[in-house]
Amino acid sequence: MTVWDELVGQDQQLAPLRNAVADPVAMTHAWLLTGPPGSGRSNAGRAFAAALQCAEGGCGECRECATALSGTHADVTLVRTEKVTISIQEVRELISAAQSAPSQGRWRVFVVEDADRMTERTANVLLKSIEEPPARTVWVLCAPSPQDVPVTIRSRCRAIALRTPEVEAVAALLVERDGIAPELAYQSAAAAQSHIGRARRLARDPEARARRDQVLALATEIRGVGDAVLAAEDLVRVADEDAKAATEERDAEEKAQLLETLGAETGGRLAPALRAQVRQLEEDQKRRATRAKRDVLDRAITDLMSLYRDVAVIQTGASVPLVNASHDGHIRDLAGRTALADTMRCLDALGTARERLAGNVAPLLALEAMALELRPQTGAGRSR
Ligand SMILES: [Zn+2]
């Protein structure tokens, strides 16, 4: 299995990257990888980094490949931010690191996974290094769309536009690579809307499937004001737990590592100057937890949108496959007892909730308002 195999259904899109690995003439110092969520833009960035370090051009087996993919390769820097923006200070540090020659690999590669999270000012600092790149340095910027990065940067990068792979291609990967049963693989790929990581998690983790089912059930369970308020509380609580589970282990590891670097024994007393560093780390971790929680909530809302989209498919008689085929019964039931206008209103409410969350409205407030809109507005059960 090579480093490229995970990126299913985009051979054509990835060809320029693969050519650049094989042929120095096709190489360039700055790349911009764009594509919708789930198109694998950061995975593609990492695969490219690995392929550039690997003697075999990305065999997927050797030490270079493994360390480049996980971000521990000495000459590969993966830049991921948990904050709303990448700070100018962080970019300055990257640029100064970019000045030194690769320590062991053939290239020094910087993969900026959220290049869209840079302010214009920060981007301008980066621009200098992209315009006059030190020899052997490669910048790989990832963003949802080219418009998400300043035009000055965009115009100096070679653009690669990735797309969302077909559900069938993602399902086939789950079957081949993870040994998932074909039916479950298809269901998971469809439910994840072709997001490979999410599809794999759904396919392998029954709890993740159960949580998703719980979220979808809200569409039919919310009847009155009381249900709506409880549902919003539930969603926020589940998001808290999910985010906690995802970050807790990493937090503890990071802290232990920092203390070790600082030469402090665990449980011992720290000099004031060192304490500040620990506090800084703790603040970063808190921000990361907040973002993780928002991401979980955003996914829950996206899942609900996929359900209402399915309801609309039935109501309009469109002949496209359902995202949530395993919930066929509920979807048809809901489609039968509501009108298309209701479905559209619910989709609007979900979209508004996403915007509010992104705009830093308190999650519980945003979700309560959303849940209230999801109540049936016609027929029985309007008030209770
Ligand atoms: Zn390799």
Side-chain angles (χ1 to χ4, degrees):
M1 224 85 210
T2 76
V3 292
W4 303 106
D5 292 353
E6 181 101 339
L7 297 146
V8 291
Q10 0 211 15
D11 289 349
Q12 212 185 321
Q13 284 79 6
L14 296 169
L17 293 174
R18 303 184 72 156
N19 291 342
V21 172
D23 175 9
V25 177
M27 187 58 183
T28 184
H29 285 279
W31 300 80
L32 176 60
L33 310 188
T34 59
S39 59
R41 48 180 196 261
S42 53
N43 289 343
R46 266 181 271 178
F48 185 45
L52 285 172
Q53 304 297 356
C54 171
E56 310 280 320
C59 68
E61 314 274 334
C62 72
R63 206 185 126 71
E64 307 287 319
C65 281
T67 51
L69 290 174
S70 69
T72 53
H73 194 290
D75 295 324
V76 175
T77 306
L78 303 181
V79 185
R80 235 177 287 178
T81 187
E82 321 289 345
K83 292 177 244 166
V84 179
T85 56
I86 299 177
S87 73
I88 207 159
Q89 182 55 31
E90 281 170 274
V91 169
R92 288 214 174 99
E93 280 163 20
L94 294 177
I95 290 171
S96 114
Q99 297 304 321
S100 52
S103 64
Q104 33 174 277
R106 300 185 294 155
W107 299 93
R108 188 173 274 278
V109 190
F110 295 86
V111 182
V112 183
E113 295 192 358
D114 307 291
D116 51 316
R117 291 179 191 243
M118 268 186 290
T119 62
E120 190 94 31
R121 206 169 133 241
T122 309
N124 281 334
V125 172
L126 179 61
L127 185 61
K128 273 220 125 6
S129 180
I130 288 181
E131 275 176 328
E132 296 157 34
R136 321 304 299 167
T137 290
V138 184
W139 291 97
V140 183
L141 310 181
C142 310
S145 78
Q147 288 71 38
D148 290 318
V149 295
V151 65
T152 43
I153 296 255
R154 206 193 310 161
S155 60
R156 280 166 183 84
C157 295
R158 176 105 57 95
I160 303 284
L162 300 170
R163 58 183 187 131
T164 309
E166 305 281 333
V167 170
E168 287 79 6
V170 174
L173 178 76
L174 294 181
V175 172
E176 274 168 42
R177 181 157 212 181
D178 304 297
I180 309 289
E183 196 185 335
L184 178 58
Y186 185 87
Q187 265 178 23
S188 307
Q193 297 181 63
S194 288
H195 189 297
I196 294 172
R198 174 102 180 107
R200 175 173 293 137
R201 189 154 164 227
L202 283 174
R204 290 210 291 213
D205 181 1
E207 275 180 35
R209 288 203 294 280
R211 272 199 296 271
R212 186 173 187 278
D213 286 346
Q214 255 175 16
V215 168
L216 294 187
L218 290 182
T220 43
E221 277 171 5
I222 297 175
R223 298 264 167 179
V225 176
D227 302 334
V229 172
L230 285 178
E233 278 170 10
D234 267 0
L235 271 177
V236 173
R237 187 177 42 75
V238 170
D240 270 338
E241 285 166 10
D242 227 27
K244 212 171 155 199
T247 52
E248 219 163 39
E249 198 179 337
R250 195 167 140 204
D251 285 357
E253 253 171 48
E254 279 177 352
K255 194 163 169 185
Q257 227 169 33
L258 176 67
L259 289 175
E260 204 186 304
T261 323
L262 297 176
E265 280 170 44
T266 337
R269 283 176 62 87
L270 278 176
L274 301 186
R275 243 179 277 154
Q277 288 199 47
V278 174
R279 208 161 37 232
Q280 177 66 46
L281 175 73
E282 282 169 352
E283 267 166 35
D284 284 350
Q285 292 180 336
K286 213 163 125 193
R287 262 197 296 264
R288 183 163 71 205
T290 307
R291 180 170 164 191
K293 184 174 153 185
R294 278 177 204 276
D295 285 349
V296 171
L297 287 173
D298 189 64
R299 199 170 60 220
I301 298 174
T302 316
D303 283 341
L304 270 169
M305 287 176 111
S306 75
L307 186 105
Y308 284 101
R309 171 242 177 233
D310 284 347
V311 171
V313 165
I314 304 288
Q315 285 172 333
T316 56
S319 57
V320 291
L322 297 182
V323 171
N324 303 286
S326 55
H327 293 260
D328 189 75
H330 274 121
I331 290 164
R332 279 172 199 284
D333 175 45
L334 198 57
R337 64 186 162 79
T338 60
L340 184 59
D342 296 318
T343 311
M344 291 304 160
R345 194 198 63 242
C346 292
L347 280 168
D348 272 352
L350 292 165
T352 305
R354 284 188 80 188
E355 278 166 25
R356 286 181 179 155
L357 278 178
N360 273 339
V361 170
L364 190 58
L365 280 181
L367 290 178
E368 269 179 11
M370 176 193 92
L372 286 170
E373 279 295 321
L374 297 184
R375 283 175 303 157
Q377 309 278 306
T378 49
R382 176 67 182 84
S383 59
R384 177 158 36 112

